[in-house]
Amino acid sequence: MSKSISTAVRSVVLRSMLLLAVFILRQEMARGDELAEKMEKWKKTYVEKILPIMEARCVGCHRGDKIEGEFDLAKYADPQTAVEAGDAWERVAKRIRLNEMPPQGSPGLNDEQKGHFHRWVDSRPNRDLCNQLASEETQSWYQGTVMSRRLTQTEYRNAILDLTGRRLDPNEEPPSDGAGGEGFDTVGDALFTSTIHLESYLTSADRVVEAACSTFPNPLISTEVVEDIASARSIVSQFARRAWRRPVTLEELDRLMSLCEKSMEQGVELSRAIRQSLKGVLVSPHFLFVVEVEPEASGVQRLSPHQLATRLALLIWSSVPDEELLQLADSSSIYDEVVLRAQVRRMIADPRSRAIGENFGLQWLGLRGFAQVKPDESIFPEYQPELAADLREEAILYVSEIFRKDRPLTELISSNSVYINGRLASFYGLDLPQDAPWQSVAVSDGKRGGVITMASVLTSSSYPRRTSPVLRGRWILDELLGSPVPPPPPNVPALEESSHNDANQTMRQRLEIHRQKAECASCHDRMDPLGFGLENYDGIGRWRDSENGLAIDSAGKLPSGDQFSGPTELKSVLMNRRAEFQQHFIRKLLGFALGRSLNKFDACIVETCMKKLNENEMRSQILLEEIALSYPFQHRYRQPIGSKNETSE
């Protein structure tokens, strides 16, 4: 009996293994067929568009007895040899982009011919782009260069706090920054430095140093200075090391100490004169700018260990590295993958990781300017500054807690808990004492949980006097799914101008009339149903069951055929599209980390992050680890001297 069972088990196992082997083989064959198909298309383009260009422009130097650069076009008459040439075409493309080929005096390539050639080279199948960085040589539109930039307003504020222990007053902060790249203010070409910035930096440095040095215990001058220049030099050196995120040279220290010495020459005692050196640290470009010191060689270079520590601190803390990070940079241990992963997790566990919710989170959610959102107080008198501050804080804490607790990324869409205090609990209709501190509270009815049901998001995607299914639906497509819709056609009137009898209709009824226009339907069919699913929330995000005495209809049907009613079912629909959300979120986080627009060289980083998410139960911290370990995060491109773009960095 047992023998027959054993035989049956072996039979099942062998059959399962055989089926698995067949499945894997078919998958590999399918991938191989797909690659072969792409390669055939690439070869066809070579024959039809590239070879004629080379025959017309290149044969004079690259065929016959005298072959320039050992590049013999006779070898590449047939497309298979072009395939086998591999990366040789990258070198040819570089020469063409730098206008080194064809040589001066020879007929050059026109823009159309250059475009055909570069697109063909860039589209070669089976290229390893994960370990490359965009540069002049690899992309004609030249993305991927990270400009040396100044600290953003948030980074400056956090750095001052970490260095001096003093919070800046709002009127002491430098002006807020614009957004660029993937929509974040960390992009260098959007961070202009004006005279207003310079005046703010000078004023802030003076105030924070004087305030910090006037308190006890003194957070800056931790040891007694009774005319001891050696102690003063040590204090200034350590402070500059933290602020500048790297060791300070003797020459730099001498320049800083000269400020102290000049004050002493005017009769100021050393304990006060040293403050001038400390202020000098805070107004130096080495503090105010994320300056990645130029390497001697041009091209793609790995960041120094201190530069990498700075990038990591700006990503997670929006501030300067702490002593532990600096020591790892001093020893170059920060390059080690195990060490770097451990540091990411240590930094996320630190309270300073709140910054990832405040800096990245608010910008991703479109809430950076939330303080300027002003619902009409005659309709929403409950909307007071204290409530607005709570709504903003909820968004910050919710995003940062997803990372800090290593929660699944999908909880940003749908969650069984909210992060609230007592005042916000009352606003949401949840049971919590009025004076309760911020905490995670379980919810079960689906009315709250996830970013689409946050009152901050719902308020910012409403008009001052009413809700807007259009704005809310568009927000979901733009910010959550990364599927933006084009702007409305010109001369289309706003809903208020085209609607009548508002008091006798719900918003949905008024919008249905608007959607009947053919020029509006294609986009509104994508947006409006998503917004209808949130119509149970009024213009400031409170739950309601009726509008103008009429029951709320929160049902929606998407062009895909998906149907839902209310926020709970809407979340289920969005969860079915979680792959779109994950990919878009990763792109946003990567763009924030790199401080630039993304390009094709970054696509495989996104793919790797997607793969790691699926392998790690959607745990959010893995994204920060993979981004920190990625090639573009740890490398930079420096243009050759004389390049037309050499001032970009």
Side-chain angles (χ1 to χ4, degrees):
M1 181 75 173
S2 60
K3 183 177 180 181
S4 62
I5 293 176
S6 177
T7 302
V9 170
R10 283 198 300 270
S11 175
V12 170
V13 171
L14 288 172
R15 186 166 55 193
S16 299
M17 292 177 64
L18 179 60
L19 290 173
L20 179 60
V22 170
F23 173 77
I24 293 173
L25 180 60
R26 286 179 176 173
Q27 291 288 98
E28 293 298 323
M29 290 175 63
R31 279 193 286 268
D33 290 343
E34 182 181 2
L35 178 60
E37 183 179 343
K38 290 180 180 179
M39 193 62 76
E40 286 302 316
K41 184 178 180 180
W42 197 68
K43 289 194 289 188
K44 182 180 179 182
T45 302
Y46 174 79
V47 172
E48 293 179 352
K49 294 185 177 180
I50 307 306
L51 191 55
I53 294 174
M54 294 195 297
E55 293 283 357
R57 293 289 188 265
C58 307
V59 292
C61 297
H62 296 283
R63 181 176 291 174
D65 296 333
K66 296 181 179 180
I67 300 173
E68 297 287 339
E70 300 181 357
F71 189 71
D72 185 1
L73 281 180
K75 296 180 180 179
Y76 305 111
D78 125 55
Q80 185 57 38
T81 58
V83 171
E84 294 169 356
D87 290 337
W89 296 112
E90 299 281 358
R91 296 191 291 274
V92 174
K94 175 180 178 179
R95 301 285 300 278
I96 291 175
R97 286 188 175 108
L98 297 178
N99 294 317
E100 297 175 356
M101 280 191 356
Q104 291 185 358
S106 302
L109 274 62
N110 59 39
D111 290 341
E112 183 180 7
Q113 290 170 327
K114 287 181 179 179
H116 284 316
F117 187 81
H118 293 318
R119 282 192 293 271
W120 175 74
V121 172
D122 290 344
S123 65
R124 178 163 63 92
N126 207 27
R127 301 171 69 209
D128 177 19
L129 300 182
C130 287
N131 295 314
Q132 296 185 43
L133 204 62
S135 67
E136 283 182 327
E137 292 85 1
T138 54
Q139 286 198 154
S140 57
W141 54 90
Y142 198 69
Q143 291 179 343
T145 301
V146 178
M147 299 177 67
S148 293
R149 63 172 179 85
R150 63 173 171 79
L151 296 174
T152 67
Q153 182 191 59
T154 301
E155 292 166 347
Y156 178 80
R157 181 201 316 131
N158 291 347
I160 289 291
L161 175 61
D162 288 345
L163 290 168
T164 70
R166 184 176 183 275
R167 293 185 183 277
L168 290 174
D169 294 331
N171 61 349
E172 294 177 331
E173 295 182 357
S176 59
D177 307 300
E182 298 298 317
F184 298 98
D185 63 6
T186 53
V187 178
D189 55 11
L191 289 170
F192 302 105
T193 305
S194 66
T195 54
I196 298 176
H197 285 92
L198 298 179
E199 291 173 1
S200 175
Y201 295 144
L202 289 168
T203 301
S204 296
D206 183 68
R207 289 179 178 175
V208 297
V209 170
E210 290 296 331
C213 291
S214 300
T215 60
F216 184 85
N218 189 326
L220 300 185
I221 307 175
S222 56
T223 58
E224 195 67 30
V225 186
V226 231
E227 303 306 320
D228 186 352
I229 290 292
S231 296
R233 285 180 66 89
S234 176
I235 290 168
V236 173
S237 177
Q238 289 300 313
F239 184 66
R241 175 176 178 267
R242 280 289 318 278
W244 295 357
R245 290 87 70 180
R246 59 170 176 79
V248 181
T249 67
L250 289 176
E251 182 182 2
E252 291 170 331
L253 182 56
D254 288 340
R255 287 202 298 268
L256 289 171
M257 288 303 299
S258 69
L259 299 173
C260 173
E261 292 162 1
K262 288 179 181 177
S263 291
M264 293 179 64
E265 291 172 1
Q266 298 174 3
V268 179
E269 62 182 14
L270 179 58
S271 60
R272 294 190 63 86
I274 192 177
R275 300 181 186 185
Q276 302 308 312
S277 297
L278 299 176
K279 294 173 187 177
V281 170
L282 295 182
V283 297
S284 166
H286 298 298
F287 169 62
L288 297 173
F289 287 80
V290 186
V291 179
E292 295 176 349
V293 179
E294 297 286 354
E296 294 182 3
S298 62
V300 176
Q301 304 289 333
R302 192 174 195 182
L303 299 182
S304 74
H306 293 91
Q307 292 164 0
L308 180 57
T310 296
R311 276 197 179 183
L312 193 61
L314 290 175
L315 169 60
I316 301 177
W317 290 340
S318 294
S319 186
V320 294
D322 64 357
E323 184 60 30
E324 183 168 336
L325 271 179
L326 289 176
Q327 289 183 7
L328 291 173
D330 290 343
S331 65
S332 295
S333 301
I334 197 169
Y335 285 139
D336 184 88
E337 177 179 339
V338 175
V339 172
L340 190 57
R341 288 188 186 274
Q343 284 301 304
V344 169
R345 294 188 174 273
R346 176 185 75 88
M347 294 171 71
I348 295 172
D350 189 285
R352 283 171 288 187
S353 65
R354 163 195 164 86
I356 207 164
E358 183 174 16
N359 203 4
F360 167 75
L362 290 184
Q363 294 190 74
W364 162 56
L365 293 170
L367 297 175
R368 202 177 79 162
F370 186 66
Q372 282 69 54
V373 175
K374 302 294 183 184
D376 191 316
E377 60 182 18
S378 66
I379 297 177
F380 303 110
E382 305 86 354
Y383 195 85
Q384 297 296 318
E386 297 81 6
L387 175 62
D390 285 345
L391 301 187
R392 180 180 183 273
E393 186 69 6
E394 177 196 16
I396 293 172
L397 294 177
Y398 191 82
V399 174
S400 61
E401 287 295 293
I402 289 289
F403 284 98
R404 192 177 71 84
K405 295 182 178 178
D406 201 17
R407 301 298 302 167
L409 198 66
T410 47
E411 289 192 7
L412 289 169
I413 297 178
S414 181
S415 174
N416 293 324
S417 64
V418 293
Y419 213 81
I420 55 176
N421 63 1
R423 186 164 49 201
L424 192 54
S426 176
F427 181 76
Y428 281 166
L430 299 174
D431 187 20
L432 209 61
Q434 183 71 22
D435 60 349
W438 288 96
Q439 58 191 279
S440 179
V441 176
V443 291
S444 58
D445 59 8
K447 293 181 180 179
R448 303 292 174 182
V451 295
I452 67 169
T453 59
M454 286 182 182
S456 54
V457 169
L458 295 163
T459 302
S460 65
S461 56
S462 296
Y463 288 117
R465 297 176 60 85
R466 63 169 177 82
T467 64
S468 173
V470 176
L471 293 182
R472 289 176 175 179
R474 184 169 192 153
W475 184 91
I476 290 174
L477 290 172
D478 284 357
E479 311 299 348
L480 213 61
L481 300 177
S483 181
V485 294
N491 303 321
V492 174
L495 184 59
E496 290 88 347
E497 300 171 21
S498 59
S499 302
H500 303 285
N501 302 320
D502 293 352
N504 300 319
Q505 296 175 311
T506 65
M507 174 52 58
R508 179 172 189 138
Q509 290 169 333
R510 293 154 56 198
L511 192 56
E512 291 288 0
I513 299 173
H514 186 75
R515 296 174 66 207
Q516 291 173 4
K517 299 180 180 180
E519 66 270 28
C520 303
S522 60
C523 291
H524 280 278
D525 285 347
R526 294 178 58 205
M527 296 185 294
D528 298 1
L530 297 171
F532 291 150
L534 299 174
E535 267 296 275
N536 280 112
Y537 303 99
D538 70 6
I540 58 173
R542 292 175 302 186
W543 183 265
R544 61 181 182 173
D545 294 308
S546 63
E547 179 190 9
N548 294 330
L550 302 173
I552 293 290
D553 180 1
S554 60
K557 181 178 181 180
L558 297 171
S560 62
D562 289 321
Q563 299 185 57
F564 55 88
S565 180
T568 303
E569 293 182 10
L570 173 58
K571 291 178 191 178
S572 297
V573 169
L574 295 176
M575 285 293 286
N576 291 335
R577 299 176 66 177
R578 57 185 172 273
E580 295 175 60
F581 160 70
Q582 291 162 17
Q583 186 175 55
H584 179 62
F585 186 89
I586 293 167
R587 286 186 59 87
K588 300 294 280 188
L589 186 59
L590 181 58
F592 172 79
L594 298 180
R596 61 168 171 79
S597 299
L598 302 189
N599 54 61
K600 65 182 180 183
F601 291 84
D602 306 309
C604 65
I605 308 302
V606 177
E607 292 173 7
T608 298
C609 288
M610 288 282 287
K611 180 174 180 290
K612 293 294 184 180
L613 268 180
N614 290 318
E615 292 174 352
N616 291 272
E617 300 179 320
M618 300 295 162
R619 301 290 177 179
S620 56
Q621 289 185 11
I622 195 68
L623 294 182
L624 295 173
E625 292 182 37
E626 293 302 317
I627 288 173
L629 288 164
S630 69
Y631 191 87
F633 190 84
Q634 296 200 9
H635 291 76
R636 67 171 292 183
Y637 172 75
R638 178 180 180 240
Q639 296 110 322
I641 295 175
S643 162
K644 63 182 179 181
N645 290 316
E646 71 177 297
T647 58
S648 294
E649 292 192 7

